[in-house]
């Protein structure tokens, strides 16, 4: 009995000491949060080629790998793409609005390509234009007994206070973890309406001879989502497929044949950089693996592009590219530095709200910082708090076969607000012209759980004196 009383006091004392110790430790911490969660670092294996997620749809020459993306600048157009394996069949898409008897058709085209010893199926691309905003459409591809029917919903008419929800997925690949990421995105109670994909799609180039059959399995894997909502594409390093020793010296061959984007609608000259408007967002896609120095086509395009953004029409300015400009992980450390030096100043000047990237197989969110004062002689090269700067979010945690980037630079730099090496996806939920909510979801959690979340207040519409980030944890 006496022993019991003594033990209780002891426990209370130890608990008080621990609380004091933890609080002191938090107080002294310079950077943000490095999550204590440590995933076991077993590499995730690709799903076997005969997995149900890669199933070939039944029927002779049935269309497969069906996916859609935005087809114009405003959101009234859709590009439908699919592959027929045996013969060209038809490149026509039949489509009709829900509750409408009238069926329209759009005529596309097909192409094929060879990659070393691989010959592609017939890759169809068909643009549907002048759709009504905020309308559910059904569409059908294929002919004869092997037609397949899908649907999508066009975005609302562009306007400053139009709510819209984007999903963020990057570096997906086709492992069991990739499948978990996609499932978690699909079952997230906050429903993403469009995926912003930050590059590195199939990881076919990790296979001998860049086995392009793995581009096909990947296309079949994502169809269950990408046939029903647009995926907005960015090219990553795993799309380069530059293999001159195999007689393949032209970069991006499989990617550009398979994934078309509406780059001409934003007066871009290349599918690797372009912009779209969607609901209340203006989205600029950049290419980490195309020339971006001064006088290059990408540079000249962005010089003209940024002043075109009308924040009264589309308050949210979102930029994404594959390689992060701010990342405190050891893997790929400072790979984005050359692009940061050239473009960060513009992101601050034009008050970009958020910059998404992938490449680093982990999650990280930055504070609002800039590092643009340096001029070779002044020595000012430390990131500083800057309320005109974007938040940088690395979301390259889709779950590919290369595994997670677990090693982090220490101590956590002050620009890094939260970092964790776990697979997952993001949800960017625009509420109105001033408020947008971002949540990061880990695959090991329940579908509704947010491991990190933040309110992002619009850089154009919110006075710079107000705090940019109000963490909800
Ligand atoms: Fe990458």
């Amino acid at each position: 009995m006496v022993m019991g009383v003594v033990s209780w006091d002891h426990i209370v004392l130890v608990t008080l000491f621990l609380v004091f110790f933890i609080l002191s430790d938090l107080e002294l911490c310079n950077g943000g949060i490095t999550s204590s969660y440590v995933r076991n670092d077993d590499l995730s294996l690709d799903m076997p080629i005969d997995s149900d997620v890669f199933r070939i749809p039944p029927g002779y020459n049935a269309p497969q790998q069906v996916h859609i993306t935005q087809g114009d600048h405003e959101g009234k157009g859709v590009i439908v793409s699919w592959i027929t394996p045996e013969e060209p069949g038809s490149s026509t898409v039949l489509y009709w609005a829900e509750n409408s008897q009238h069926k329209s058709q759009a005529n596309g085209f097909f192409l094929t390509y060879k990659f070393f010893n691989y010959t592609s199926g017939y890759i169809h691309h068909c643009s549907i234009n002048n759709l009504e905003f905020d309308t559910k459409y059904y569409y059908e591809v294929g002919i004869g007994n092997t037609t397949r029917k899908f649907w999508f919903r066009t975005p609302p008419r562009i306007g400053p206070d139009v709510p819209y929800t984007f999903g963020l997925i990057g570096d997906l690949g086709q492992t069991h973890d990739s499948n978990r990421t996609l499932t978690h995105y699909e079952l997230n109670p906050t429903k993403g309406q469009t995926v912003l994909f930050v590059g590195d799609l199939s990881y076919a180039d990790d296979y001998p001879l860049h086995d392009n059959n793995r581009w096909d399995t990947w296309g079949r894997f994502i169809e269950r989502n990408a046939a029903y909502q647009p995926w907005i594409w960015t090219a990553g390093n795993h799309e380069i497929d530059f293999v001159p020793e195999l007689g393949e010296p032209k970069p991006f061959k499989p990617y550009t044949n398979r994934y078309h984007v509406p780059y001409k609608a934003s007066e871009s000259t290349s599918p690797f950089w372009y912009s779209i408007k969607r609901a209340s967002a203006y989205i600029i896609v950049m290419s980490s693996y195309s020339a971006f120095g001064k006088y290059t086509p990408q540079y000249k395009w962005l010089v003209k592009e940024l002043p075109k953004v009308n924040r009264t029409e589309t308050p949210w300015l979102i930029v994404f590219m594959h390689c992060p400009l701010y990342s405190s992980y050891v893997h790929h450390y400072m790979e984005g530095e050359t692009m940061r030096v050239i473009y960060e100043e513009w992101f601050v000047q034009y008050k970009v709200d958020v910059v998404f990237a992938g490449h680093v197989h982990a999650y990280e969110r930055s504070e609002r910082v800039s590092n643009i004062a340096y001029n070779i002689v002044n020595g000012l090269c430390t990131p500083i708090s800057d309320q005109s700067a974007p938040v940088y979010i690395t979301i390259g945690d889709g779950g590919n076969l290369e595994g997670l980037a677990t090693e982090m630079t220490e101590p956590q730099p002050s620009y890094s607000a939260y970092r964790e090496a776990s697979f997952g996806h993001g949800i960017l939920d625009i509420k109105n012209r001033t408020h947008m909510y971002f949540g990061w979801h880990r695959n090991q959690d329940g579908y509704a759980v947010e491991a990190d979340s933040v309110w992002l207040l619009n850089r154009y519409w919110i006075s710079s004196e107000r705090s940019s980030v109000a963490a909800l944890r």
Side-chain angles (χ1 to χ4, degrees):
M1 190 67 187
V2 172
M3 283 298 291
V5 172
V6 171
S7 294
W8 178 247
D9 287 349
H10 184 73
I11 290 166
V12 170
L13 275 170
V14 168
T15 308
L16 282 171
F17 176 76
L18 280 175
V19 167
F20 174 76
F21 180 76
I22 290 166
L23 285 175
S24 314
D25 193 46
L26 281 178
E27 197 94 337
L28 292 172
C29 186
N30 283 327
I33 294 166
T34 297
S35 169
S36 58
Y37 180 83
V38 179
R39 191 179 186 277
N40 78 47
D41 57 359
D42 292 344
L43 286 187
S44 192
L45 294 176
D46 273 351
M47 293 179 282
I49 210 103
D50 60 354
S51 300
D52 59 350
V53 293
F54 300 143
R55 192 173 44 228
I56 293 169
Y60 172 74
N61 206 36
Q64 56 169 269
Q65 305 177 51
V66 181
H67 54 93
I68 62 171
T69 194
Q70 183 160 322
D72 65 356
H73 205 232
E74 310 275 317
K76 293 174 80 173
V78 168
I79 301 172
V80 182
S81 303
W82 70 98
I83 294 181
T84 48
E86 314 292 343
E87 57 175 283
S90 167
S91 297
T92 297
V93 175
L94 206 58
Y95 64 97
W96 60 97
E98 187 183 30
N99 306 325
S100 164
Q101 301 302 313
H102 177 71
K103 293 189 176 179
S104 304
Q105 70 174 52
N107 299 315
F109 61 95
F110 72 89
L111 52 84
T112 62
Y113 75 92
K114 288 182 190 301
F115 193 93
F116 188 59
N117 62 352
Y118 168 92
T119 303
S120 74
Y122 301 90
I123 305 173
H124 303 259
H125 299 288
C126 180
S127 290
I128 308 175
N129 295 308
N130 298 316
L131 297 164
E132 296 296 322
F133 283 119
D134 206 10
T135 303
K136 183 174 181 181
Y137 285 91
Y138 290 94
Y139 70 99
E140 196 173 285
V141 290
I143 45 172
N145 294 324
T146 49
T147 57
R148 297 183 66 206
K149 192 169 91 175
F150 305 88
W151 57 265
F152 58 81
R153 185 165 199 96
T154 50
R157 182 181 297 279
I158 288 165
D161 289 301
V162 180
Y164 202 74
T165 309
F166 293 98
L168 270 303
I169 301 178
D171 304 70
L172 185 58
Q174 42 196 306
T175 71
H176 297 281
D177 280 305
S178 320
N179 196 24
R180 276 178 212 119
T181 300
L182 190 53
T183 303
H184 274 246
Y185 173 60
E186 291 166 324
L187 297 181
N188 192 320
T190 306
K191 294 297 172 205
Q193 296 165 289
T194 292
V195 169
L196 306 181
F197 192 88
V198 294
D200 282 1
L201 286 66
S202 74
Y203 288 75
D205 62 343
D206 276 343
Y207 283 78
L209 308 176
H210 290 221
D211 185 0
N212 273 225
N213 290 298
R214 277 292 177 174
W215 274 105
D216 290 313
T217 53
W218 196 78
R220 295 200 290 271
F221 161 49
I222 63 153
E223 182 193 90
R224 72 182 201 232
N225 189 271
Y228 298 93
Q229 61 174 259
W231 286 38
I232 309 302
W233 301 108
T234 323
N237 54 306
H238 285 278
E239 278 66 74
I240 299 174
D241 284 311
F242 172 68
V243 211
E245 62 273 28
L246 294 183
E248 293 298 345
K250 189 169 176 259
F252 300 107
K253 194 189 205 179
Y255 172 70
T256 50
N257 278 297
R258 290 166 182 271
Y259 294 92
H260 280 194
V261 298
Y263 66 95
K264 289 178 185 162
S266 54
E267 286 154 42
S268 166
T269 51
S270 161
F272 304 118
W273 56 88
Y274 62 99
S275 71
I276 57 164
K277 293 191 264 191
R278 202 161 178 90
S280 47
Y282 200 102
I283 294 161
I284 292 179
V285 175
M286 294 180 67
S287 174
S288 303
Y289 306 103
S290 305
F292 54 76
K294 197 166 185 181
Y295 312 124
T296 60
Q298 182 169 203
Y299 182 100
K300 290 171 99 167
W301 176 79
L302 199 60
V303 169
K304 282 190 178 169
E305 179 68 10
L306 285 166
K308 288 182 189 170
V309 183
N310 176 357
R311 304 293 279 271
T312 303
E313 182 193 41
T314 51
W316 296 100
L317 180 51
I318 298 165
V319 173
F320 61 107
M321 74 271 292
H322 185 61
C323 185
L325 306 192
Y326 281 92
S327 166
S328 70
Y329 287 83
V330 171
H331 204 53
H332 301 310
Y333 189 60
M334 287 186 71
E335 275 184 28
E337 191 64 2
T338 43
M339 189 174 248
R340 185 192 67 76
V341 167
I342 295 174
Y343 292 110
E344 183 184 15
E345 192 172 354
W346 296 358
F347 294 167
V348 175
Q349 181 187 340
Y350 287 95
K351 294 184 186 289
V352 171
D353 290 294
V354 57
V355 176
F356 289 103
H359 199 40
V360 176
H361 299 164
Y363 170 74
E364 186 166 23
R365 171 172 59 82
S366 81
E367 303 287 358
R368 290 200 184 275
V369 292
S370 70
N371 187 3
I372 53 179
Y374 183 55
N375 68 359
I376 290 194
V377 292
N378 64 12
L380 300 175
C381 54
T382 304
I384 56 164
S385 178
D386 187 340
Q387 292 305 308
S388 293
V391 167
Y392 296 87
I393 293 177
T394 302
I395 187 98
D397 55 352
N400 62 74
L401 77 173
E402 293 179 351
L404 286 162
T406 51
E407 212 182 331
M408 305 173 188
T409 60
E410 298 294 351
Q412 183 171 13
S414 56
Y415 65 74
S416 172
Y418 186 101
R419 58 184 185 174
E420 181 180 324
S422 291
F423 293 130
H425 75 276
I427 290 281
L428 188 65
D429 199 9
I430 297 176
K431 306 291 188 187
N432 53 39
R433 78 181 67 192
T434 56
H435 284 67
M436 175 163 81
Y437 184 75
F438 178 79
W440 176 59
H441 296 258
R442 299 186 293 205
N443 288 358
Q444 68 266 24
D445 294 331
Y447 299 122
V449 176
E450 289 166 336
D452 181 42
S453 59
V454 67
W455 279 102
L456 299 168
L457 307 186
N458 190 282
R459 291 303 89 194
Y460 181 87
W461 288 99
I462 295 282
S463 149
S464 61
E465 283 115 53
R466 290 181 60 178
S467 167
S468 62
V469 169
L472 284 189
R473 284 181 304 277

